[in-house]
Amino acid sequence: MNSAAGKDTMHLDDPRTTRTTPTPRTVTVAYAGGDERRGPLTMGQANMIRCILRDDPTHINIHDVWPVPEGTTVEAVTDALRALAGRHEGLRTTFPHPPGTAPVDQVVSAEGTFTVTVLDHAEPPADPTGYAESVARAARAARFALEREFPLRITLLTLAGAPVHVALAFSHAVADGSAMAILREEFAELLAGKELPGLTSLPPVDLASVEASPAGLRKSAASLRYWERIIRTGPQEMFAEPRGRRPGTDEEARQLTLRSRRGGRALAGAARRTGHPEATVLMAAWCALVAHRAGQDSCVTAVPSANRFHPRVARSVTTTSQDALLHLDVRVPGFDALVARTWGAVLNAYRHSQFDSVRLWEMIDRVTAERGSHFGRDVVFNDVSALPAPLLGTDTQDRDDAEQELAWGPPQTLPTRLLAFTYRTAPQLHISLWAAPSLFTPEEAEGFLSGLVLLLEAAAAGDVPMEALTEVTAVRPAERGPAWLRVDGCWVSPAAVRETIGRAVDGLPVRVAEERGPDGTADGTAEGAAGAEPRLTAYVARGDTSLTPEQAHRAVTALIPAAGSGVLAPHRYVLVENPPAEPERSEAWRRLQIIEEGTGRGRQVRHER
């Protein structure tokens, strides 16, 4: 469960980057490390390998560019790379597995070789850094062969034989953003002639043993319980609205980057005034604005976590990336109260971000089937500003003087609805946003990031009433119209539910009725039911078919992932023989004799009449 930002947009023969395509030369580098080892996967490895086997490689592989100091030789670069491979078991790890299966073990080699592709240029590219990034991004396009391939693809870019940049693509099974930053730092120290300190963090095989210990298993089980509470009760779509996601497809969204000294000053001021860390204030502002724009009472956002809170993994070169899932109730009077609430919620989310990813997705599939929903990883907020070295492509060293600017970049196929990377918070706020174009016009995407800065500026000056967010930020909530209902904590379109059920039961007559009885019954006059949240009952005229409530529910839930926005399964299915004479009136359906009925949520309960 992770997202990589960006997509290759420059090629080696692009006239913007270099005038001629250099002829590649391959250098084979031999390395030797410790003993050969074998062990089970870590939880982070299993999580990322699941994505590697499933997702487009450009979405899951990661990349970086390391600058090479002037005067460095090719031999010095390869020697430093050799030292890193010998030093870190994660770089000497492969994941053998039979075809058609997923790895369950990792194997660490004691020795081996890797290759470095050298591209020598007679003339410098017009944009050396951008060109190096394009080379690294291009290397991400192919899937890594987990069972045999060295997990780094290395290209050394030279000018008249002198090294300038190392462009690398990494298998996400062996490295995450923090690991890339550690390697970049150690590479620079090796080139500077420094001696690296001894390793203090666990290598992956030993980390897997800790995770499999009784304490590690208890931690994983607690995380699964935390996630299940959110998935059973939280909104299944943050952006459930008439113009919602395209059924069954991802969207291509352009990168929108904010660089704002105004935002940096405002964030620092709001943090001082509220007495909370900048990261907490920024997360509160993000959640407040997302929930406001989505018209929701809470914000559910994935927060990719490196899980590096303990010294035993702080500097381990492996992938510890797993999602933290933040569920933040925004029903508070003012922003200050939300910031205070965010602090505890974020800590709770991070504490529950280590889990068995296979069991997690089994639980998600089970719970969403029982709830008759489809949990969407709609919102992702990835704050990498605290990493010891910037990730590739952030261009943080340039344009620090921007008081505030918004710039559009290349497109990326988006598996989420709203994805943000925070690269820096000082001296300027530097955020890149990818917003689904079905939900955000270009003007609305720009307004969202500008609104975030406006909210921070207002919060730096004083407490901001939550009811004033539209006025303060100029961001308007989603418009749904009166036909939409809040059902089971989610925004639902009864018309879309009816259409989906109709397709699921092969066109049989269907009526979806809003009913407020405590058990989804039509007894809306029961004591206390008048204020109850609406529940949906699906009346189906099955004719001479053998349709059962269980079959109807299974068919509906199978369609929901591609059904578009605002679709949840009803709480109850009521089967009758034929439709009434007035099929658009719910009362007419309720007067018919019931053949069978059953619940559409939780355990199936079937009653034959």
Side-chain angles (χ1 to χ4, degrees):
M1 297 181 74
N2 198 20
S3 291
K7 196 172 184 178
D8 179 33
T9 58
M10 294 171 127
H11 303 280
L12 301 187
D13 56 355
D14 191 321
R16 295 173 297 170
T17 58
T18 183
R19 297 179 184 177
T20 59
T21 301
T23 301
R25 175 170 65 93
T26 300
V27 176
T28 299
V29 181
Y31 64 85
D35 298 329
E36 183 173 326
R37 306 179 69 197
R38 188 183 187 109
L41 303 179
T42 67
M43 292 180 181
Q45 288 172 331
N47 180 49
M48 297 317 305
I49 287 173
R50 182 182 184 277
C51 299
I52 289 168
L53 296 176
R54 179 196 64 197
D55 295 347
D56 186 312
T58 59
H59 295 171
I60 194 63
N61 294 338
I62 55 178
H63 70 282
D64 202 357
V65 166
W66 299 346
V68 179
E70 188 176 353
T72 304
T73 65
V74 171
E75 291 73 19
V77 171
T78 56
D79 285 347
L81 293 169
R82 177 187 292 111
L84 293 177
R87 175 177 169 83
H88 295 290
E89 288 189 6
L91 301 185
R92 295 182 275 114
T93 297
T94 53
F95 306 92
H97 61 286
T101 67
V104 295
D105 289 328
Q106 56 180 311
V107 172
V108 181
S109 64
E111 59 184 15
T113 62
F114 60 86
T115 60
V116 177
T117 300
V118 180
L119 294 178
D120 189 40
H121 303 74
E123 301 176 56
D127 176 9
T129 302
Y131 169 62
E133 179 178 349
S134 74
V135 173
R137 286 186 184 276
R140 286 171 47 171
R143 198 178 303 275
F144 276 90
L146 295 171
E147 71 281 4
R148 55 181 169 79
E149 185 178 355
F150 188 73
L152 275 66
R153 295 175 184 149
I154 307 168
T155 304
L156 177 58
L157 305 177
T158 62
L159 179 62
V164 179
H165 288 104
V166 182
L168 306 101
F170 293 77
S171 167
H172 218 327
V174 304
D176 53 22
S178 295
M180 288 197 304
I182 292 166
L183 291 170
R184 175 198 281 225
E185 177 186 305
E186 291 186 350
F187 176 76
E189 291 178 350
L190 287 168
L191 292 185
K194 298 179 180 179
E195 184 176 347
L196 298 181
L199 296 174
T200 57
S201 293
L202 295 177
V205 172
D206 295 331
L207 178 59
S209 297
V210 171
E211 292 176 342
S213 68
L217 294 176
R218 286 194 298 271
K219 184 177 182 68
S220 177
S223 296
L224 292 177
R225 291 192 297 272
Y226 168 87
W227 276 68
E228 184 167 351
R229 284 195 300 272
I230 295 173
I231 292 167
R232 283 195 180 277
T233 61
Q236 296 296 281
E237 296 176 78
M238 280 305 297
F239 298 104
E241 55 186 89
R243 59 172 178 167
R245 66 187 180 203
R246 298 173 183 173
T249 62
D250 293 333
E251 295 185 62
E252 191 173 75
R254 292 180 63 195
Q255 178 180 355
L256 175 62
T257 298
L258 167 77
R259 291 180 175 86
S260 174
R261 279 187 171 270
R262 282 175 50 192
R265 290 193 300 270
L267 178 58
R272 285 193 301 271
R273 193 187 63 76
T274 61
H276 285 276
E278 290 184 3
T280 303
V281 174
L282 183 59
M283 180 66 74
W286 167 263
C287 288
L289 202 57
V290 168
H292 172 70
R293 164 60 181 80
Q296 300 278 13
D297 291 337
S298 63
C299 176
V300 176
T301 183
V303 187
S305 170
N307 284 310
R308 294 177 182 268
F309 315 117
H310 195 281
R312 67 186 175 215
V313 292
R315 292 188 62 85
S316 180
V317 173
T318 186
T319 184
T320 61
S321 293
Q322 295 187 276
D323 275 352
L325 188 66
L326 176 64
H327 184 202
L328 184 63
D329 190 332
V330 300
R331 291 174 294 182
V332 291
F335 184 72
D336 287 7
L338 184 65
V339 173
R341 177 177 289 182
T342 301
W343 171 254
V346 169
L347 290 179
N348 203 25
Y350 281 137
R351 192 169 72 247
H352 294 101
S353 60
Q354 185 177 321
F355 44 77
D356 182 327
S357 60
V358 174
R359 289 186 60 201
L360 175 76
W361 281 103
E362 289 173 348
M363 178 273 291
I364 290 175
D365 290 344
R366 182 184 72 253
V367 171
T368 54
E370 292 173 356
R371 195 179 182 191
S373 60
H374 176 66
F375 174 72
R377 190 175 180 266
D378 283 352
V379 182
V380 181
F381 186 80
N382 197 1
D383 187 347
V384 296
S385 62
L387 290 181
L391 290 175
L392 177 74
T394 63
D395 196 22
T396 56
Q397 71 274 23
D398 296 331
R399 298 195 295 281
D400 274 355
D401 60 345
E403 186 65 10
Q404 181 150 314
E405 68 174 24
L406 290 165
W408 287 96
Q412 175 190 336
T413 301
L414 196 70
T416 65
R417 305 301 107 193
L418 198 65
L419 166 67
F421 272 70
T422 299
Y423 296 116
R424 296 181 76 175
T425 57
Q428 62 178 200
L429 184 61
H430 182 176
I431 298 176
S432 285
L433 181 77
W434 290 261
S438 64
L439 293 164
F440 292 81
T441 66
E443 294 75 18
E444 287 172 328
E446 292 179 354
F448 187 88
L449 283 182
S450 298
L452 186 66
V453 173
L454 291 170
L455 176 56
L456 291 172
E457 288 180 327
D463 195 9
V464 180
M466 295 296 286
E467 62 183 16
L469 286 182
T470 300
E471 179 183 354
V472 169
T473 67
V475 175
R476 303 187 64 82
E479 295 182 1
R480 296 185 178 88
W484 283 65
L485 306 172
R486 194 186 292 272
V487 176
D488 197 16
C490 306
W491 282 106
V492 174
S493 166
V497 173
R498 177 181 177 180
E499 191 274 334
T500 302
I501 296 174
R503 287 192 291 120
V505 298
D506 296 327
L508 293 174
V510 173
R511 173 69 178 174
V512 174
E514 171 193 350
E515 297 176 342
R516 295 181 179 271
D519 298 313
T521 67
D523 184 12
T525 61
E527 184 177 356
E533 185 179 77
R535 299 193 175 197
L536 298 180
T537 295
Y539 292 88
V540 182
R542 75 176 188 183
D544 57 1
T545 71
S546 59
L547 181 72
T548 65
E550 294 93 332
Q551 292 170 342
H553 184 67
R554 284 196 299 270
V556 169
T557 54
L559 292 180
I560 285 176
S565 192
V567 178
L568 275 74
H571 292 81
R572 191 168 68 115
Y573 297 87
V574 175
L575 305 183
V576 299
E577 185 173 359
N578 295 305
E582 299 175 285
E584 297 304 315
R585 295 186 63 240
S586 297
E587 279 301 319
W589 287 86
R590 294 187 183 112
R591 288 195 293 266
L592 298 176
Q593 181 177 354
I594 297 174
I595 299 173
E596 289 184 56
E597 65 178 309
T599 61
R601 306 288 180 88
R603 295 180 179 179
Q604 285 285 318
V605 180
R606 181 177 175 182
H607 304 284
E608 296 190 10
R609 301 296 179 94

